[in-house]
Amino acid sequence: MTAPYPLGRPRRLRASVGLRRLTQETTLSPADFIAPLFVEEGTATRTPIASLPGHSRLTLDLLVDECRELYSLGIGAVLLFAKVPDALKDNTGAEALNPGGLYPRAIKAIKAAVPELVVMTDIALDPFSSYGHDGIVEGERIVNDATVDVLAQMAVVHAQAGADVVAPSDMMDGRIGAIRRALEAGGYPEVGILAYTAKYASCLYGPFRDALDSAPGFGDKQTYQMQPGNAREALREAALDEAEGADILMVKPGLWYLDVLYRLRQATPLPLAVYQVSGEYAQLHATADRGWLHLENAMWESLLALKRAGADLIATYFAKAAAQGLQR
Ligand code: PBG
């Protein structure tokens, strides 16, 4: 037991900046951050994303410049998302397997220019799907096993292009094991898997789907993403992903799921990531725009909350701003 008042006065350690810094339990570093980046076809063009203030879809040349800057800021990794032209979308995700597609070219360009920067890529069919779903559609159903076959091939295409880590965000059953086996068989045993382990069917992905024009054409994603009321189920997903060979587990979204993050922290020795998603970022910006909270303070407090709850790594649209802030 700590001493009771007046011998014990917790305020003693809050009395100055120096004391507060000395006793701060949770700290942030640029190396904690994974910066999501959006890439599109073309050259020398940045297309601002209205729903993600400060973010744009970048053509390859500008993407590489951005990666140089993020690397110089000490950012831990980038996480790539490609905007696929409608003409290349179909139900089977054929373009996702094109070694000359936008994704593989983006990976190669970054690894050629900034070889030390960790490149992570999203594995799911939604940007490639004419239905905007993460898997292959049959009637009204999203079929699991046929989708997993394509995702495993997609992971090998990204590995071939030089990706360090593939990040399956689709929530199909068995995909981590299938991807792991495909990477081994394909000669890429060293490529890591960051599993979207507990990815919830959340309203908070809206701004992201605007950015990639990837909203589902019918229905929603509730037959594959987790329902918001469930936390124990996240432990089950974590056990499966771990057994299937995941290297890093992730919870998504972040702030509304801190309890899930905390539970997974107790349950796994693996590194744990969290995704502060587009809707979380957009909420803070919109509120700050009205003058109802201070954006930079909200950024620090939200990032600290995610780290304190158990995240080692934070995928966040604040990555660059926070890394810049930490340099000051
Ligand atoms: C694709 C994917 C999504 C996000 C990351 N990967 C959208 C979705 O599942 O509908 C959302 C990220 C964000 O909102 O910032 N499967």
Side-chain angles (χ1 to χ4, degrees):
M1 253 278 279
T2 55
Y5 172 86
L7 301 176
R9 290 178 184 262
R11 287 188 55 191
R12 278 186 207 120
L13 297 180
R14 301 175 196 147
S16 68
V17 174
L19 285 166
R20 290 196 295 275
R21 205 177 59 152
L22 191 69
T23 56
Q24 182 168 337
E25 297 173 29
T26 304
T27 56
L28 296 164
S29 145
D32 302 333
F33 303 136
I34 301 169
L37 294 176
F38 297 96
V39 53
E40 65 179 19
E41 293 285 3
T43 46
T45 307
R46 60 177 69 236
T47 310
I49 302 166
S51 52
L52 286 174
H55 286 269
S56 300
R57 292 193 305 266
L58 305 175
T59 54
L60 282 185
D61 47 344
L62 300 183
L63 179 78
V64 166
D65 293 345
E66 181 70 11
C67 285
R68 280 204 189 89
E69 191 179 350
L70 293 172
Y71 180 68
S72 73
L73 285 166
I75 293 275
V78 294
L79 177 57
L80 299 183
F81 296 99
K83 166 106 164 62
V84 180
D86 279 346
L88 295 178
K89 296 184 183 184
D90 64 15
N91 183 31
T92 60
E95 177 62 15
L97 305 184
N98 175 6
L102 181 56
Y103 238 132
R105 279 183 281 129
I107 300 163
K108 278 186 198 152
I110 297 170
K111 291 310 284 188
V114 208
E116 301 291 314
L117 179 64
V118 175
V119 173
M120 301 181 166
T121 64
D122 190 70
I123 303 290
L125 296 189
D126 49 334
F128 301 94
S129 161
S130 38
Y131 293 103
H133 274 290
D134 290 24
I136 296 170
V137 175
E138 266 176 34
E140 299 271 283
R141 292 173 52 251
I142 316 304
V143 294
N144 194 89
D145 297 9
T147 299
V148 167
D149 287 343
V150 179
L151 296 175
Q153 294 175 55
M154 183 179 177
V156 172
V157 170
H158 290 191
Q160 240 155 20
D164 297 288
V165 174
V166 292
S169 67
D170 55 288
M171 290 304 277
M172 298 299 123
D173 291 331
R175 91 276 207 212
I176 301 301
I179 290 172
R180 184 77 276 160
R181 287 189 292 276
L183 290 171
E184 290 288 327
Y188 303 100
E190 73 288 353
V191 170
I193 301 177
L194 183 159
Y196 283 68
T197 292
K199 176 170 178 179
Y200 287 86
S202 174
C203 67
L204 293 168
Y205 309 146
F208 173 96
R209 293 175 188 170
D210 289 347
L212 291 187
D213 188 20
S214 64
F218 70 87
D220 53 38
K221 298 192 175 184
Q222 292 189 75
T223 68
Y224 44 106
Q225 299 178 346
M226 284 177 58
Q227 51 174 324
N230 286 8
R232 273 182 290 136
E233 190 184 352
L235 297 175
R236 184 170 185 220
E237 288 282 3
L240 287 167
D241 287 355
E242 219 178 302
E244 291 176 31
D247 300 286
I248 304 173
L249 305 184
M250 187 154 77
V251 173
K252 173 182 175 188
L255 287 183
W256 291 356
Y257 296 87
L258 289 185
D259 58 320
V260 177
L261 194 57
Y262 186 77
R263 286 194 206 202
L264 286 200
R265 180 66 298 162
Q266 318 305 308
T268 178
L270 292 180
L272 198 51
V274 68
Y275 201 142
Q276 182 179 47
V277 300
S278 58
E280 300 180 70
Y281 177 83
Q283 276 179 68
L284 296 182
H285 266 275
T287 318
D289 280 351
R290 294 190 161 200
W292 291 347
L293 53 69
H294 184 277
L295 185 64
E296 198 175 336
N297 292 348
M299 170 180 85
W300 294 124
E301 189 172 339
S302 63
L303 294 173
L304 272 177
L306 295 165
K307 187 113 186 259
R308 189 190 65 235
D312 302 300
L313 302 170
I314 306 173
T316 172
Y317 300 95
F318 287 121
K320 188 175 178 182
Q324 285 166 337
L326 288 167
Q327 275 199 335
R328 292 198 293 269

